[in-house]
Amino acid sequence: MTVMSTRAKLGVVAASAVLLASVAAGYAAIAAEPARTPPPAAVGDQAVTLAPGPRLLAITDRYVSSVATADPGGPRTVSGLECLRVYAAAGTGVCLKPVTAWSYQVVVLDAALRQKRTLSVPGLPNRARVSASGRMVSWTTFVGGDSYTASGFSTRTGILDTVSGATVTSLEEFAITRDGRGYRSPDVNYWGVTFTADDNHFYATMATGGRRYLVRGDMAARTVETMRTNVECPSLSPDGTRIAFKEAIDADPTRGWRLSVLDLASGRVTATAETTSVDDQAAWLDDATLAYTLRQSDGRPDVFSVPADGSGAPKLLIPGAESPSPLT
Amino acid sequence: MRVYLSTVSRPGADPPDAGPRRQRLALVSGNVVALGTVSLITDISAEMVAAVLPLYLVLGLQLSPVAFGVLDGVHTGATALLRVVGGFVADRFRRRKLVAGVGYALSAVAKLGLLLAGRSVPAIGAVVAVDRLGKGVRSAPRDALITLSTPPEALGRAFGVHRAMDSVGAFLGPLAAFAVLLVVGQSYDAVFVTSFCVAALAVVVLVLFVREQPTTGPTTGPTSDPTADPDEPRVSVREAFGLLRSRPARRLLLAATMLGLATIGDGFVYLVLQRREDLGLRWFPLLAVGTSLAYLLLAAPLGVLADRIGRLPVVVGGYVALGVTYLLLSGPVHGWPALALTLALYGTFYAATDGVLIALAGPVLPPRLRTTGIALVQTGQALAYLVSSVVFGLAWQAWGPQTAVRAAAVVVVGVLVVTVLLLAAPSRPHSRRVSP
């Protein structure tokens, strides 16, 4: 290499810095999202309401919206409420709402989308659920990743009783019975809660030691016990007899998930007709139909539905939407 | 700059004859400053991505936690092996700068790879692996270059300054990412492109300012190796294995690995701290900031101290700080003072051991095989750390966090005794032997 003077080297570094800075700035200018103007809050009979009715709740372009169950691809009512995940039942809603790019809140909503209660939560929103009665609310956030080269991930799952006000900020406080024996480990993570009709028991996913379990929890007793492995993101059917879940193909999440249904009485698992990998906590539209989000290669979401008994075929339900919830 | 370098490269046994003013100016060599600058810029780039990657994966791509977890942890074994191979290649062809440069370039390219990987989890995993590979490949040649361009008696401060500059970059990275997101909204890819550009600038600085310090050359200090002129045979695999037969090198490697066993991992330390102090989970990321701050502030002073009082005492002091950290985690003291003291001590541990240990290792390893040797030390530590974190996890499970942490403190004491026995004797005679 020819010998360069320090001055010449500094010149090259300065020139490179300017060049690279313009590349970065140029890319940023192209990639920058146009400033999004939130849609005007719907008014009058156009307002999104969580009151039970023949409508489906979902998120379109980040805002809570509703469509008619009879015409889910048709006109939609869009609210001014921005959520990353939403769910509602019996007039109570839960919204995981962005505050800044780095912080999020759990917001409990009434039927008119008014904020009844907000809780700051650590991490990034992942799952949200409301019990059928509207009393219990649950959320899961993804915590950690302080450095992506540091090993592991973790989730925090919380539950709020909207009647008593009791709040569990992390299910990790609960005592665990695994395969009939007491168990404790620092690596326990929970996600994807679904409540039973008694508003005390719930199902969820617990991960520990590289395995993922379906657990049944008891709010009052503050306990969970494992039921079986490889059942993730459970969702209890309205009649309480079956659990829809994502089943890791060959128990290996890297190979994707099959949307499946577990019959609680017989323990039989039925794979649905949806063969695309589903990474979502499905919602039951009724006792026979599941709704879930799938993403296109560019990340754009669509809500699909499929019969829960393994028959039929998946069907595009709400294009360009995510986080479906029937308003029951 | 060459004159400047050879001034500092004089053997320490000689009285400084360049005049006190010049000596004071020459805190560290130009090459160390250049390498520090490269590390600083690279760390800005790396931490930019680290700060937004979880947001990108979870919110941008809507990947589930498990999918994200799978991205991590499987590449450690492969990168450990490649690190040693890279170290050997650097020594064999005497191209430490080139191998380090390849490592920096790999990590830079990985930032663009994130754009191309799209939503594919295996592709993202591969990109993360390439990034880590780059980090693995570059560390040993970089540290070898530092040792080869610094007289042995100034190694402590050279590594201290380097590690401090490195930490400054790590501090600036998340701020840079935040600034980009503030300008472009939620476009994470703009962060990746910016991060790539920053990393590319670091490679430019490396190419222009970092010099392969020839093991032959104007240096006449103890680091020079009379057998390493260009006509001499290249380092062979056999010779590399011979490193393991040399008593001082073997003892060093053993000690470094033992020391690795004494660390339970940041994740566990912060988790225990968070639980016992019942910290709000929102404060969790700040624990790492506290530790880094102590590391940043103390790395250079402790490096200078190591040159004054000896590296082994400073490394031992660092592990004592680690032991006290574990005791604080299981002791009766609570509250904010305990929290601040714990993080300060934990940062002190890093400042007193991370660079100083390599400074301690450098002179023990022959210059011809220095990169290979440093790679072996780093790999030994990394694998030991892997073992200790698994064992600690099991101990936590069996005994609960308090007892597990106390046990870890006992392990620190045991490891320290063994380390002192291993290192106190052989390292000194070795450096005396080469001194005039």
Side-chain angles (χ1 to χ4, degrees), chain A residues 9 12-13 16 20 27-28 31 33 84 101-102 104 120 122 124 142 145 148-151 153 155-156 172 183-184 186 191 253-254 257 279 295-297 299, chain B residues 50-51 53-55 58-59 62-66 68-70 72 119 131-132 178 181 184 186-187 189 193 197 201 204 208-209 275 281-282 396-400:
Chain A
K9 287 179 180 176
V12 174
V13 168
S16 313
L20 290 166
Y27 188 90
E33 293 196 337
L84 277 120
W102 315 83
Y104 300 84
S120 286
L124 310 173
F142 175 98
Y148 70 101
T149 49
S151 172
F153 73 93
T155 57
R156 296 265 187 274
E172 287 159 45
Y183 178 79
R184 63 178 171 181
W191 63 90
T254 58
W257 291 274
D279 185 0
R295 274 163 207 283
Q296 299 174 7
S297 55
Chain B
L53 199 68
L55 291 167
V58 177
L59 298 183
Q62 297 281 329
L63 295 181
S64 75
V66 167
F68 182 62
V70 163
D72 214 61
R119 292 177 42 77
D131 180 69
R132 256 208 218 167
F178 187 71
L181 280 187
V184 299
Q186 302 283 303
S187 303
D189 49 348
V193 170
C197 291
L201 183 66
V204 171
L208 289 176
F209 286 98
R275 293 203 177 173
L281 291 167
R282 295 157 55 93
W396 177 319
Q397 206 170 317
W399 306 326

Coordinates of all heavy atoms in Angstrom, one line a residue, chain A residues 9 12-13 16 20 27-28 31 33 84 101-102 104 120 122 124 142 145 148-151 153 155-156 172 183-184 186 191 253-254 257 279 295-297 299, chain B residues 50-51 53-55 58-59 62-66 68-70 72 119 131-132 178 181 184 186-187 189 193 197 201 204 208-209 275 281-282 396-400:
Chain A
K9 N -5.1 10.6 4.8 CA -6.0 9.6 5.4 C -7.2 10.2 6.0 O -8.4 9.7 5.9 CB -5.2 8.8 6.5 CG -4.2 7.8 5.9 CD -3.5 7.1 7.0 CE -2.4 6.2 6.5 NZ -1.7 5.6 7.6
V12 N -9.7 11.0 3.4 CA -10.4 9.9 2.9 C -11.5 9.5 3.9 O -12.6 9.2 3.5 CB -9.5 8.7 2.7 CG1 -10.3 7.5 2.3 CG2 -8.5 9.0 1.5
V13 N -11.1 9.5 5.2 CA -12.1 9.2 6.2 C -13.3 10.2 6.2 O -14.5 9.8 6.2 CB -11.5 9.1 7.6 CG1 -12.6 9.1 8.7 CG2 -10.6 7.9 7.8
S16 N -15.4 9.5 3.2 CA -16.2 8.3 3.4 C -17.4 8.6 4.3 O -18.5 8.1 4.1 CB -15.3 7.2 4.0 OG -14.1 7.0 3.3
L20 N -21.1 7.9 3.3 CA -21.9 7.0 4.0 C -23.1 7.7 4.7 O -24.2 7.2 4.7 CB -21.1 6.2 5.0 CG -20.1 5.3 4.4 CD1 -19.0 4.8 5.5 CD2 -20.8 4.0 3.9
Y27 N -31.5 6.9 2.2 CA -32.3 5.7 2.5 C -33.4 6.1 3.4 O -34.6 5.8 3.2 CB -31.5 4.5 3.0 CG -32.4 3.3 3.1 CD1 -32.4 2.4 2.1 CD2 -33.1 3.0 4.3 CE1 -33.2 1.3 2.1 CE2 -33.9 1.9 4.3 CZ -33.9 1.0 3.3 OH -34.7 -0.1 3.3
A28 N -33.0 6.8 4.5 CA -34.0 7.3 5.5 C -35.1 8.1 4.8 O -36.3 8.0 5.1 CB -33.3 8.0 6.6
A31 N -37.3 5.7 3.0 CA -38.0 4.8 3.9 C -38.9 5.4 4.9 O -39.8 4.8 5.4 CB -37.0 3.9 4.6
E33 N -41.7 6.8 6.9 CA -43.1 6.7 6.8 C -43.7 8.1 6.7 O -43.3 9.0 7.4 CB -43.7 6.0 8.0 CG -43.3 4.6 8.1 CD -44.2 3.8 9.1 OE1 -44.8 4.5 9.9 OE2 -44.3 2.6 9.0
L84 N -51.9 -2.1 19.4 CA -51.1 -3.2 18.7 C -51.8 -4.5 18.8 O -51.6 -5.4 18.0 CB -49.7 -3.3 19.3 CG -48.8 -2.2 18.7 CD1 -48.2 -1.3 19.7 CD2 -47.7 -2.9 17.9
A101 N -42.3 4.9 21.0 CA -41.8 3.7 20.3 C -41.3 2.6 21.2 O -41.2 1.5 20.8 CB -40.7 4.1 19.3
W102 N -41.0 3.0 22.4 CA -40.3 2.1 23.4 C -41.2 1.7 24.5 O -40.8 0.8 25.3 CB -39.1 2.7 23.9 CG -38.3 3.4 22.8 CD1 -38.4 4.6 22.4 CD2 -37.2 2.8 22.1 NE1 -37.5 4.9 21.4 CE2 -36.7 3.8 21.2 CE3 -36.5 1.6 22.1 CZ2 -35.7 3.6 20.3 CZ3 -35.5 1.4 21.3 CH2 -35.1 2.4 20.4
Y104 N -45.3 0.9 26.3 CA -46.6 0.5 26.0 C -47.5 0.5 27.3 O -47.0 0.3 28.3 CB -46.7 -0.8 25.3 CG -45.9 -0.8 24.0 CD1 -44.5 -0.9 24.0 CD2 -46.5 -0.4 22.8 CE1 -43.8 -0.8 22.8 CE2 -45.8 -0.3 21.6 CZ -44.4 -0.5 21.7 OH -43.7 -0.3 20.5
S120 N -49.0 0.7 33.0 CA -47.7 0.6 32.2 C -47.2 -0.8 32.3 O -47.1 -1.3 33.4 CB -46.7 1.6 32.8 OG -47.2 2.9 32.4
P122 N -43.9 -3.4 31.0 CA -42.6 -3.5 30.4 C -42.6 -4.3 29.1 O -43.5 -5.2 29.0 CB -41.7 -4.2 31.5 CG -42.7 -5.1 32.1 CD -44.0 -4.4 32.1
L124 N -42.7 -5.4 24.9 CA -43.4 -5.2 23.7 C -44.7 -6.1 23.7 O -44.7 -7.3 23.9 CB -42.5 -5.6 22.5 CG -41.2 -5.0 22.6 CD1 -40.3 -5.5 21.5 CD2 -41.3 -3.5 22.4
F142 N -43.4 -9.0 25.6 CA -42.2 -9.6 25.3 C -41.1 -8.7 25.9 O -41.0 -7.6 25.6 CB -42.0 -9.7 23.8 CG -40.7 -10.2 23.3 CD1 -40.6 -11.5 23.0 CD2 -39.7 -9.4 23.2 CE1 -39.4 -12.0 22.5 CE2 -38.5 -9.9 22.8 CZ -38.3 -11.2 22.4
G145 N -34.1 -8.8 25.4 CA -33.5 -8.4 24.2 C -32.7 -7.1 24.5 O -32.6 -6.2 23.6
Y148 N -29.1 -8.4 21.6 CA -29.6 -9.6 21.0 C -28.5 -10.7 21.0 O -28.7 -11.8 20.5 CB -30.1 -9.3 19.5 CG -29.0 -8.9 18.6 CD1 -28.5 -9.8 17.6 CD2 -28.5 -7.6 18.6 CE1 -27.5 -9.5 16.7 CE2 -27.6 -7.3 17.7 CZ -27.1 -8.2 16.8 OH -26.1 -7.8 15.9
T149 N -27.3 -10.4 21.4 CA -26.3 -11.4 21.5 C -26.3 -12.0 22.9 O -25.6 -13.0 23.1 CB -24.9 -10.8 21.3 OG1 -24.7 -9.7 22.0 CG2 -24.8 -10.5 19.8
A150 N -27.1 -11.5 23.8 CA -27.2 -12.1 25.1 C -28.3 -13.2 25.0 O -29.3 -13.0 24.3 CB -27.6 -11.1 26.2
S151 N -28.1 -14.3 25.6 CA -28.9 -15.4 25.4 C -30.3 -15.3 26.0 O -30.5 -14.6 27.0 CB -28.2 -16.6 26.0 OG -29.1 -17.7 26.0
F153 N -34.8 -15.1 25.9 CA -35.8 -14.2 25.8 C -36.7 -14.3 27.0 O -36.6 -15.3 27.7 CB -36.7 -14.4 24.5 CG -37.5 -15.6 24.7 CD1 -38.9 -15.5 25.1 CD2 -37.1 -16.9 24.4 CE1 -39.7 -16.6 25.2 CE2 -37.9 -18.0 24.6 CZ -39.2 -17.8 25.0
T155 N -40.9 -13.4 28.6 CA -42.2 -12.8 28.5 C -42.8 -12.4 29.8 O -42.3 -13.0 30.8 CB -43.2 -13.7 27.8 OG1 -43.3 -14.9 28.5 CG2 -42.8 -14.0 26.3
R156 N -43.6 -11.5 29.9 CA -44.3 -11.2 31.1 C -45.8 -11.3 30.8 O -46.3 -10.6 29.9 CB -44.0 -9.8 31.6 CG -42.6 -9.6 32.0 CD -42.3 -9.8 33.5 NE -41.0 -9.4 33.7 CZ -39.9 -10.2 33.6 NH1 -40.1 -11.4 33.2 NH2 -38.7 -9.8 33.8
E172 N -45.2 -15.3 36.9 CA -44.1 -16.0 37.4 C -44.1 -16.1 39.0 O -43.4 -16.9 39.6 CB -42.8 -15.4 36.9 CG -42.6 -15.7 35.5 CD -41.6 -14.8 34.8 OE1 -40.6 -14.5 35.4 OE2 -41.9 -14.3 33.7
Y183 N -42.4 -27.3 41.3 CA -41.3 -27.0 40.4 C -41.0 -25.5 40.5 O -41.9 -24.7 40.6 CB -41.8 -27.3 39.0 CG -40.7 -27.0 37.9 CD1 -39.7 -27.8 37.6 CD2 -40.9 -25.8 37.1 CE1 -38.7 -27.5 36.6 CE2 -39.9 -25.5 36.1 CZ -38.9 -26.4 35.9 OH -38.0 -26.1 34.9
R184 N -39.7 -25.2 40.4 CA -39.3 -23.8 40.3 C -38.0 -23.7 39.4 O -37.2 -24.6 39.5 CB -39.1 -23.1 41.6 CG -38.0 -23.7 42.4 CD -37.9 -22.9 43.7 NE -36.9 -23.6 44.6 CZ -36.6 -23.2 45.8 NH1 -37.2 -22.1 46.3 NH2 -35.7 -23.9 46.5
P186 N -35.6 -20.3 37.3 CA -35.6 -18.9 36.9 C -36.0 -18.7 35.4 O -36.3 -17.6 35.0 CB -34.1 -18.6 37.1 CG -33.4 -19.9 37.0 CD -34.3 -20.9 37.5
W191 N -47.1 -17.2 28.4 CA -47.8 -16.3 27.5 C -49.1 -16.9 27.1 O -49.4 -18.1 27.3 CB -46.9 -16.0 26.3 CG -46.5 -17.1 25.4 CD1 -47.2 -17.6 24.3 CD2 -45.3 -17.9 25.5 NE1 -46.5 -18.6 23.7 CE2 -45.3 -18.9 24.4 CE3 -44.2 -17.9 26.4 CZ2 -44.3 -19.8 24.2 CZ3 -43.2 -18.8 26.2 CH2 -43.2 -19.7 25.1
P253 N -40.5 -25.4 17.2 CA -41.1 -24.1 16.8 C -40.4 -23.5 15.5 O -41.0 -22.8 14.8 CB -40.9 -23.2 18.0 CG -40.6 -24.1 19.1 CD -40.0 -25.3 18.6
T254 N -39.1 -23.9 15.3 CA -38.5 -23.4 14.1 C -39.1 -23.9 12.8 O -38.9 -23.3 11.7 CB -37.0 -23.7 14.1 OG1 -36.8 -25.2 14.1 CG2 -36.2 -23.1 15.2
W257 N -45.9 -23.5 13.0 CA -47.0 -24.0 13.8 C -48.2 -24.4 13.0 O -48.5 -23.7 12.0 CB -47.4 -22.9 14.8 CG -46.4 -22.6 15.9 CD1 -46.3 -23.3 17.1 CD2 -45.4 -21.6 15.9 NE1 -45.3 -22.7 17.8 CE2 -44.7 -21.7 17.1 CE3 -45.1 -20.6 15.0 CZ2 -43.7 -20.8 17.5 CZ3 -44.0 -19.8 15.3 CH2 -43.3 -19.9 16.5
D279 N -48.9 -18.1 13.7 CA -48.3 -17.7 14.9 C -49.2 -16.6 15.6 O -48.9 -15.4 15.5 CB -46.9 -17.1 14.6 CG -46.1 -16.7 15.9 OD1 -46.7 -16.9 17.0 OD2 -45.0 -16.2 15.8
R295 N -49.8 -13.3 8.0 CA -49.1 -12.1 7.4 C -48.5 -12.5 6.0 O -48.0 -13.6 5.8 CB -47.9 -11.7 8.3 CG -48.4 -10.8 9.3 CD -47.5 -10.6 10.5 NE -48.3 -10.2 11.6 CZ -48.8 -9.0 11.8 NH1 -48.5 -8.0 10.9 NH2 -49.6 -8.7 12.8
Q296 N -48.6 -11.5 5.1 CA -48.0 -11.7 3.8 C -46.5 -11.5 4.0 O -46.0 -11.1 5.0 CB -48.6 -10.7 2.8 CG -50.1 -10.9 2.7 CD -50.8 -9.9 1.8 OE1 -50.1 -9.1 1.2 NE2 -52.1 -9.9 1.8
S297 N -45.8 -11.8 2.9 CA -44.3 -11.7 3.0 C -43.8 -10.3 3.4 O -42.8 -10.2 4.0 CB -43.7 -12.1 1.7 OG -44.2 -11.3 0.6
G299 N -45.3 -8.5 5.6 CA -45.7 -8.2 6.9 C -47.2 -7.7 7.0 O -47.7 -7.6 8.1
Chain B
A50 N -28.9 -3.7 18.2 CA -29.3 -4.4 19.4 C -30.5 -3.7 20.1 O -31.4 -4.3 20.6 CB -28.2 -4.5 20.4
A51 N -30.5 -2.4 20.0 CA -31.6 -1.6 20.7 C -32.9 -1.8 19.9 O -34.0 -1.7 20.6 CB -31.2 -0.1 20.8
L53 N -33.6 -4.3 17.5 CA -34.0 -5.6 17.0 C -35.2 -6.2 17.6 O -36.1 -6.8 16.9 CB -32.8 -6.5 17.0 CG -32.9 -7.8 16.1 CD1 -32.8 -7.3 14.7 CD2 -31.8 -8.8 16.4
P54 N -35.3 -6.2 19.0 CA -36.5 -6.8 19.6 C -37.8 -6.1 19.1 O -38.8 -6.7 18.8 CB -36.3 -6.5 21.1 CG -34.9 -6.4 21.2 CD -34.4 -5.7 20.0
L55 N -37.7 -4.7 18.9 CA -38.9 -4.0 18.4 C -39.2 -4.5 17.0 O -40.4 -4.7 16.7 CB -38.6 -2.5 18.4 CG -38.4 -1.7 19.7 CD1 -37.8 -0.4 19.4 CD2 -39.8 -1.6 20.3
V58 N -40.5 -8.3 17.1 CA -41.8 -8.5 17.7 C -42.9 -7.6 17.2 O -44.0 -8.1 16.9 CB -41.7 -8.3 19.3 CG1 -43.0 -8.5 19.9 CG2 -40.7 -9.2 19.8
L59 N -42.6 -6.4 16.9 CA -43.7 -5.5 16.5 C -43.6 -5.3 14.9 O -44.7 -5.3 14.3 CB -43.5 -4.1 17.1 CG -43.7 -4.1 18.6 CD1 -43.6 -2.7 19.2 CD2 -45.0 -4.8 19.0
Q62 N -43.8 -9.3 13.9 CA -44.8 -10.0 14.7 C -44.3 -11.5 15.0 O -45.1 -12.4 14.9 CB -46.1 -10.0 14.1 CG -46.8 -8.6 14.0 CD -47.4 -8.1 15.3 OE1 -47.8 -9.0 16.1 NE2 -47.4 -6.9 15.5
L63 N -43.0 -11.6 15.2 CA -42.5 -13.0 15.6 C -42.9 -13.2 17.0 O -42.9 -12.3 17.8 CB -41.0 -13.0 15.4 CG -40.5 -12.9 14.0 CD1 -39.0 -13.0 14.0 CD2 -41.1 -13.9 13.1
S64 N -43.1 -14.5 17.3 CA -43.4 -14.8 18.7 C -42.2 -14.9 19.5 O -41.1 -15.1 19.0 CB -44.2 -16.2 18.7 OG -43.3 -17.2 18.5
P65 N -42.3 -14.9 20.8 CA -41.1 -14.9 21.7 C -40.3 -16.2 21.4 O -39.0 -16.1 21.4 CB -41.7 -15.0 23.1 CG -43.0 -14.3 23.0 CD -43.5 -14.6 21.6
V66 N -40.9 -17.3 21.2 CA -40.1 -18.5 21.0 C -39.3 -18.4 19.8 O -38.1 -18.7 19.7 CB -41.0 -19.8 21.0 CG1 -40.2 -21.0 20.5 CG2 -41.4 -20.1 22.5
F68 N -38.2 -15.9 18.4 CA -37.0 -15.0 18.7 C -36.0 -15.7 19.6 O -34.8 -15.5 19.3 CB -37.6 -13.7 19.5 CG -36.5 -12.7 19.8 CD1 -35.8 -12.1 18.8 CD2 -36.2 -12.4 21.1 CE1 -34.8 -11.2 19.0 CE2 -35.2 -11.5 21.4 CZ -34.5 -10.9 20.3
G69 N -36.4 -16.4 20.5 CA -35.5 -17.1 21.4 C -34.6 -18.1 20.6 O -33.4 -18.3 20.9
V70 N -35.3 -18.8 19.6 CA -34.6 -19.8 18.8 C -33.4 -19.1 18.1 O -32.4 -19.8 17.8 CB -35.6 -20.4 17.9 CG1 -34.9 -21.2 16.7 CG2 -36.5 -21.4 18.6
D72 N -31.3 -17.4 19.0 CA -30.1 -17.2 19.9 C -29.6 -18.5 20.4 O -30.3 -19.5 20.5 CB -30.5 -16.3 21.0 CG -29.3 -15.4 21.4 OD1 -28.9 -14.7 20.6 OD2 -28.9 -15.6 22.6
R119 N -39.0 -11.7 6.6 CA -39.7 -12.3 7.8 C -39.2 -13.7 8.1 O -39.8 -14.4 8.9 CB -41.2 -12.3 7.5 CG -41.8 -10.9 7.5 CD -43.3 -11.0 7.1 NE -44.0 -12.1 7.8 CZ -44.4 -12.0 9.1 NH1 -44.1 -11.0 9.8 NH2 -45.0 -13.0 9.6
D131 N -23.2 -12.0 12.1 CA -22.8 -10.9 12.9 C -21.9 -11.4 14.0 O -20.8 -10.8 14.3 CB -24.0 -10.2 13.4 CG -23.6 -9.0 14.2 OD1 -23.1 -8.0 13.7 OD2 -23.8 -9.0 15.5
R132 N -22.3 -12.4 14.7 CA -21.6 -13.0 15.8 C -20.2 -13.5 15.4 O -19.2 -13.4 16.1 CB -22.4 -14.1 16.4 CG -23.0 -13.6 17.7 CD -23.2 -14.7 18.5 NE -24.4 -14.6 19.2 CZ -25.0 -15.6 19.9 NH1 -24.4 -16.8 19.8 NH2 -26.1 -15.3 20.5
F178 N -32.3 5.7 18.5 CA -33.4 6.5 18.9 C -33.6 7.7 18.0 O -34.7 8.0 17.6 CB -33.3 6.9 20.4 CG -34.5 7.6 21.0 CD1 -35.6 6.8 21.2 CD2 -34.5 8.9 21.2 CE1 -36.8 7.4 21.7 CE2 -35.6 9.6 21.7 CZ -36.7 8.8 22.0
L181 N -34.9 6.6 14.6 CA -36.4 6.3 14.7 C -37.2 7.6 14.9 O -38.3 7.7 14.4 CB -36.7 5.3 15.9 CG -36.3 3.9 15.6 CD1 -36.8 3.0 16.8 CD2 -37.0 3.4 14.4
V184 N -37.4 9.0 11.3 CA -38.1 8.2 10.2 C -39.4 7.5 10.7 O -40.0 6.8 9.9 CB -37.1 7.2 9.6 CG1 -36.0 7.8 9.0 CG2 -36.7 6.1 10.6
Q186 N -41.4 4.5 12.3 CA -41.2 3.1 12.7 C -40.4 2.4 11.6 O -40.4 1.1 11.6 CB -42.6 2.5 12.9 CG -43.4 3.1 13.9 CD -43.0 2.8 15.3 OE1 -42.9 1.6 15.7 NE2 -42.6 3.8 16.1
S187 N -39.7 3.0 10.8 CA -38.9 2.3 9.7 C -37.6 1.8 10.3 O -36.6 2.4 10.3 CB -38.6 3.2 8.5 OG -39.8 3.8 8.0
D189 N -35.8 -0.5 9.1 CA -34.8 -0.7 8.1 C -33.9 0.5 7.9 O -32.7 0.3 7.6 CB -35.4 -1.2 6.7 CG -36.5 -0.3 6.2 OD1 -37.0 0.5 7.1 OD2 -36.9 -0.4 5.1
V193 N -29.8 0.3 7.9 CA -29.0 0.9 6.9 C -28.0 1.9 7.5 O -26.8 1.9 7.2 CB -29.8 1.6 5.8 CG1 -28.9 2.4 4.8 CG2 -30.6 0.6 5.0
C197 N -23.9 1.8 7.6 CA -23.0 2.9 7.1 C -22.0 3.2 8.2 O -20.8 3.4 8.0 CB -23.8 4.1 6.8 SG -24.8 3.9 5.3
L201 N -17.9 2.8 8.0 CA -16.9 3.8 8.3 C -15.8 3.3 9.2 O -14.7 3.6 9.1 CB -17.7 5.0 9.0 CG -16.8 6.2 9.3 CD1 -16.3 6.8 8.0 CD2 -17.5 7.2 10.2
V204 N -13.4 1.5 7.2 CA -12.5 2.5 6.5 C -11.4 3.0 7.5 O -10.2 3.0 7.1 CB -13.3 3.7 6.0 CG1 -12.4 4.8 5.5 CG2 -14.3 3.3 4.9
L208 N -7.3 2.4 7.0 CA -6.4 3.5 6.8 C -5.5 3.7 8.0 O -4.3 4.0 7.8 CB -7.2 4.8 6.6 CG -7.9 4.9 5.2 CD1 -8.7 6.2 5.2 CD2 -6.9 4.9 4.1
F209 N -5.9 3.5 9.2 CA -5.2 3.9 10.4 C -4.6 2.8 11.2 O -3.6 3.0 11.9 CB -6.0 4.8 11.3 CG -6.2 6.2 10.7 CD1 -7.3 6.5 10.0 CD2 -5.2 7.1 10.8 CE1 -7.5 7.8 9.5 CE2 -5.3 8.4 10.3 CZ -6.5 8.7 9.6
R275 N -35.3 -9.1 41.6 CA -36.3 -9.8 42.5 C -36.1 -9.4 44.0 O -37.0 -9.2 44.7 CB -36.1 -11.3 42.4 CG -36.5 -11.7 41.0 CD -36.9 -13.2 40.9 NE -37.4 -13.4 39.6 CZ -37.7 -14.6 39.1 NH1 -37.6 -15.7 39.9 NH2 -38.1 -14.8 37.9
L281 N -40.3 -3.7 36.8 CA -39.6 -4.3 35.7 C -39.2 -3.3 34.7 O -38.3 -3.5 33.9 CB -40.6 -5.3 35.0 CG -40.9 -6.5 35.9 CD1 -42.1 -7.3 35.3 CD2 -39.7 -7.4 36.0
R282 N -39.8 -2.1 34.7 CA -39.4 -1.0 33.8 C -37.9 -0.6 34.0 O -37.3 0.0 33.2 CB -40.3 0.2 33.9 CG -41.7 -0.1 33.5 CD -42.7 0.9 34.1 NE -42.3 2.2 33.8 CZ -42.8 2.9 32.8 NH1 -43.6 2.4 32.0 NH2 -42.4 4.2 32.6
W396 N -30.0 -22.6 41.0 CA -31.1 -21.7 41.3 C -32.4 -22.6 41.4 O -33.1 -22.5 42.4 CB -31.3 -20.7 40.2 CG -32.5 -19.8 40.3 CD1 -33.7 -20.1 40.7 CD2 -32.5 -18.4 40.0 NE1 -34.5 -19.0 40.7 CE2 -33.8 -17.9 40.3 CE3 -31.5 -17.5 39.6 CZ2 -34.1 -16.6 40.1 CZ3 -31.9 -16.2 39.4 CH2 -33.2 -15.7 39.6
Q397 N -32.5 -23.5 40.5 CA -33.7 -24.4 40.5 C -33.7 -25.2 41.7 O -34.8 -25.4 42.3 CB -33.6 -25.3 39.2 CG -34.9 -25.8 38.7 CD -34.6 -26.4 37.4 OE1 -33.9 -25.9 36.5 NE2 -35.2 -27.6 37.2
A398 N -32.6 -25.8 42.1 CA -32.5 -26.7 43.2 C -32.6 -26.0 44.6 O -33.3 -26.4 45.5 CB -31.3 -27.5 43.1
W399 N -31.9 -24.9 44.7 CA -31.7 -24.3 46.0 C -32.4 -22.9 46.2 O -32.4 -22.3 47.3 CB -30.2 -24.1 46.4 CG -29.4 -25.3 46.3 CD1 -29.8 -26.6 46.5 CD2 -28.0 -25.4 45.8 NE1 -28.8 -27.5 46.3 CE2 -27.7 -26.8 45.9 CE3 -27.1 -24.4 45.4 CZ2 -26.4 -27.2 45.5 CZ3 -25.8 -24.9 45.1 CH2 -25.5 -26.3 45.1
G400 N -32.8 -22.3 45.1 CA -33.4 -21.0 45.1 C -32.2 -20.0 44.9 O -31.1 -20.3 45.0

